[in-house]
């Protein structure tokens, strides 16, 4: 790849992923999509003690409808359990089909669990962090949020 192109792509990558340091929270939220790395990262953060609960959000979306026979949230929960997250510490939102619904429907689950005012660690594909930050800020002004995505380009 041309060095100038690589340099420009790295600038965009770093902007989109936000590069925040992960700090302890009340709940880790894994955003559903076709990338199983999100479930693995959530399990890693849980095992490292960053939060006592993990919430996976996602029904069947544009990239998983017709490919998977279970929701993104259910698939991620299964993966997380295989990697050390106990089932009783996992919450599921399995109806959403896009990022806006992920956040909207997740709020109800967080309210029911008493976590709506808590500190959230959001995990998604690194280049989705900027978009999700904007959506979260529109609907969750009182919640403190940090990003827990990995830091290397895919």
């Amino acid at each position: 790849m041309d060095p100038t192109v690589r340099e420009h792509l790295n600038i965009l990558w770093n902007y989109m992923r936000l590069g925040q340091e992960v700090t302890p929270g009340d709940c880790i939220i894994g955003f559903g999509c076709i990338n199983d790395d999100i479930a693995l990262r959530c399990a890693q953060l849980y095992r490292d003690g960053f939060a006592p609960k993990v919430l996976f959000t996602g029904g069947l979306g544009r990239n998983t409808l017709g490919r998977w026979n279970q929701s993104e949230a259910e698939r991620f929960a299964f993966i997380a359990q295989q990697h050390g997250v106990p089932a009783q510490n996992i919450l599921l939102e399995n109806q959403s089909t896009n990022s806006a619904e992920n956040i909207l429907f997740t709020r109800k689950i967080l309210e029911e669990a008493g976590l709506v005012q808590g500190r959230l660690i959001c995990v998604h594909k690194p280049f989705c962090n900027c978009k999700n930050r904007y959506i979260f800020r529109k609907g969750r002004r009182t919640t403190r949020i940090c990003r827990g995505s990995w830091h290397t380009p895919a």
Side-chain angles (χ1 to χ4, degrees):
M1 178 182 299
D2 179 276
T4 303
V5 172
R6 181 176 271 304
E7 179 184 345
H8 290 139
L9 288 174
N10 278 331
I11 290 168
L12 287 172
W13 174 263
N14 289 329
Y15 173 76
M16 296 301 283
R17 74 172 175 87
L18 301 177
Q20 293 179 313
E21 181 179 330
V22 180
T23 57
D26 300 302
C27 186
I28 300 162
I29 300 178
F31 285 85
C33 70
I34 200 163
N35 188 337
D36 290 340
D37 288 340
I38 292 166
L40 296 172
R41 177 66 171 153
C42 290
Q44 177 191 10
L45 290 169
Y46 176 87
R47 289 191 319 270
D48 290 347
F50 280 97
K53 295 284 184 188
V54 179
L55 187 156
F56 290 110
T57 178
L60 290 171
R62 181 182 67 232
N63 294 315
T64 56
L65 184 63
R67 289 185 187 193
W68 294 356
N69 58 6
Q70 64 186 147
S71 72
E72 295 160 357
E74 292 161 340
R75 179 183 176 102
F76 284 5
F78 178 76
I79 293 167
Q81 288 175 50
Q82 291 181 315
H83 288 88
V85 181
Q88 67 268 21
N89 292 336
I90 297 175
L91 305 168
L92 295 178
E93 180 289 301
N94 60 6
Q95 299 301 308
S96 57
T97 61
N98 59 55
S99 295
E101 288 180 356
N102 287 142
I103 293 167
L104 180 66
F105 299 166
T106 292
R107 183 175 181 85
K108 182 177 181 203
I109 306 292
L110 291 171
E111 286 172 354
E112 291 170 357
L115 297 168
V116 74
Q117 298 299 323
R119 183 168 179 81
L120 306 176
I121 301 169
C122 297
V123 179
H124 204 325
K125 296 172 286 192
F127 57 86
C128 290
N129 286 339
C130 200
K131 170 188 70 173
N132 284 344
R133 177 180 174 183
Y134 173 76
I135 295 170
F136 252 110
R137 280 190 172 169
K138 289 202 55 99
R140 304 182 58 83
R141 298 193 189 285
T142 59
T143 303
R144 296 176 59 200
I145 300 167
C146 75
R147 307 289 172 243
S149 300
W150 51 98
H151 295 292
T152 55

